[in-house]
Amino acid sequence: MDLGIKGKRALVTASSKGLGRGCALALAEAGVDLVLNARGAEALEATAEEIRSRYGVEVTAIAADIVSEEGRAAVLEAAGQVDILVTNAGGPPPGMWTDWQREDFIKALDANMLTPIALMKAQLPGMIAQGWGRVVNITSQSVKSPIGQLGLSNSARAGLTGYVAGTARQVAPDGVVINNLLPGIHDTDRAASLDGGVVKAQGISMEEARAARMAGIPARSYGTAEAFGQTCAFMCSQHAAFMIGQNVLLDGGAFNSTF
């Protein structure tokens, strides 16, 4: 399928690895020029070079902490006005409700709610002016079905979801489409970290931890970053113009609900 976005320009944050990288690869395959961001310069440049060589699109790599005001300003200056924005950030650490203090919630809100909002506020005026734009926020299945040990993530991402619900409908008349993409467990470093916590807590092997988690997923597997990226690319395409303010769950059927 021709996504109709060849020649567009996209900013994808946290895109050196994992789901962000999967999104960047799929957009590049569709002919989109990219501005990639992550904190680690070495992994980021390796991803950028791979995309350049595979797809021949223009790729700008900016190593910076997107959560900090200074890092965000540097990324936005390098990106200029883009047509497509994909926001992504690693989730806060797991724990118990007794573990978290006010400072922990502020950090989670900064990374997983306030930073995506700041990026949208920076890019939406230009998208509105040109009459076309796409924003995909990578959030989590936890906004549909909270995960107890991920209370920091549950809280921050739910706040972003509420913001998008209203904002998406305000900018839709101007040709700007905003949606959220909600991953379940995917085979990424984040999954390895969470499974490692289970290994430590239960004294089992990594293989046993993964098998136990897969048993609770109807698809009986973890998702892949590549397939996740293709879904993201479709949500950034010309064909998604009537998809407004939606939360698209990609979790292998783990969330059990009629709607």
Side-chain angles (χ1 to χ4, degrees), residues 171-203:
V171 302
D174 299 296
V176 180
V177 173
I178 308 178
N179 293 291
N180 302 320
L181 185 51
L182 286 54
I185 195 72
H186 282 68
D187 204 358
T188 64
D189 289 348
R190 174 70 165 171
S193 175
L194 293 174
D195 288 341
V198 174
V199 169
K200 184 176 180 181
Q202 299 183 12

Side-chain angles (χ1 to χ4, degrees), residues 37-39 62-73 75:
N37 159 253
R39 287 177 295 180
I62 306 297
D65 181 0
I66 197 70
V67 177
S68 72
E69 290 189 19
E70 298 81 4
R72 191 160 55 250
V75 171

Side-chain angles (χ1 to χ4, degrees), residues 132-136 168 171-172 175-179 235 240-245:
W132 197 96
R134 298 288 186 269
V135 179
V136 174
V171 302
V176 180
V177 173
I178 308 178
N179 293 291
M235 293 170 67
F242 211 54
M243 181 187 289
I244 305 296

